[in-house]
Amino acid sequence: MSCEQIEDFEKACVAMQNAFRDGAAYQYLACKLQGKPLTVAHEGPAAIDALTRNFLTHYRDHGAEIVHAGDYSTVAIWTLPGKSVPMERTSDERFNATFFDESAAVKQRVIPQGMDYYYLFMIGRDPQSTAKGSTRAVFDKYTRLADAEGRALVLEAITESARDVYAYFGFVNYNTFRYGMGEVDAAGRIDPEGEGHTGYLMVYLPGAREKLSSAA
């Protein structure tokens, strides 16, 4: 199965909307990063779908690479080495310190000096699709690129299950962090005593999959 750049933006939007519509951690991040009140996450599916479309539009308009595999079964948004997409800091400095500043410090420590990287902003598999192997096709393409070009891959996993999938493809978790504490509970309900969500900053360094295969 191949991984190609999208030709149908609407189809890509639908796949991503289907993939993320019910995710509590995603809903929190979508509201926070777009400067929306957290109550928007509880206004129904159409409100969440609009936030997802906003993300795809923003990244498309700023030169990100949006790809799909399995006839839009899986869609992913990658920023390219040397071509970062602007993401404004939020009005929440505690969130900024965790999601932006702490992450930047970890990347500076983990990624060798002078090595650029691809950044995976979002990847979603449409639960309505029956295609198999589409997520693998995306990671096969970009881990091969990273190996061939001597570049890293960076992402944030926002669920434990996603973290485990990325680890399978050679990503290593270098920072477990908490966000949304005192704002939402684990189910995304607004709660001033809520535990929030757990995220994982993960990095793939060139040759990681080969090392995994050798170890196996």
Side-chain angles (χ1 to χ4, degrees):
M1 182 182 296
S2 63
C3 172
E4 308 290 344
Q5 293 195 45
I6 65 166
E7 295 181 351
D8 189 331
F9 182 76
E10 291 302 319
K11 199 168 183 178
C13 278
V14 169
M16 281 290 210
Q17 288 165 341
N18 289 344
F20 286 100
R21 189 173 293 124
D22 299 322
Y26 170 76
Q27 292 171 4
Y28 173 89
L29 288 171
C31 289
K32 185 69 71 168
L33 290 171
Q34 295 186 36
K36 304 293 185 182
L38 297 180
T39 52
V40 170
H42 303 282
E43 292 178 1
I48 300 303
D49 287 353
L51 295 176
T52 302
R53 174 179 288 273
N54 290 345
F55 277 143
L56 268 78
T57 300
H58 177 76
Y59 274 80
R60 177 199 62 186
D61 292 349
H62 286 86
E65 197 163 78
I66 306 179
V67 298
H68 77 100
D71 190 24
Y72 295 82
S73 172
T74 294
V75 175
I77 303 173
W78 293 88
T79 65
L80 305 178
K83 298 180 180 179
S84 62
V85 171
M87 180 63 70
E88 292 186 6
R89 294 172 71 88
T90 74
S91 60
D92 182 343
E93 285 305 320
R94 184 175 66 166
F95 177 86
N96 293 340
T98 298
F99 207 81
F100 294 114
D101 302 334
E102 188 176 314
S103 292
V106 172
K107 286 183 282 188
Q108 186 175 23
R109 172 174 57 84
V110 170
I111 300 174
Q113 187 174 5
M115 180 182 289
D116 212 335
Y117 60 89
Y118 293 85
Y119 172 62
L120 179 60
F121 177 68
M122 288 175 71
I123 182 169
R125 187 183 185 284
D126 188 341
Q128 297 182 16
S129 172
T130 58
K132 297 183 182 298
S134 56
T135 300
R136 173 184 289 276
V138 172
F139 283 110
D140 281 350
K141 175 178 180 176
Y142 284 90
T143 54
R144 288 190 186 114
L145 276 175
D147 292 345
E149 298 172 359
R151 288 171 168 152
L153 307 175
V154 177
L155 58 80
E156 288 99 6
I158 60 174
T159 65
E160 287 187 12
S161 59
R163 177 200 61 191
D164 294 344
V165 169
Y166 304 144
Y168 175 82
F169 291 107
F171 287 81
V172 175
N173 175 34
Y174 287 98
N175 188 39
T176 299
F177 58 93
R178 301 282 296 176
Y179 58 96
M181 294 178 296
E183 294 181 280
V184 295
D185 64 15
R189 295 181 291 259
I190 295 175
D191 183 351
E193 297 182 358
E195 65 271 42
H197 302 289
T198 302
Y200 312 89
L201 177 65
M202 306 185 74
V203 179
Y204 176 96
L205 294 174
R209 286 189 75 174
E210 183 178 350
K211 291 176 183 176
L212 276 179
S213 298
S214 299

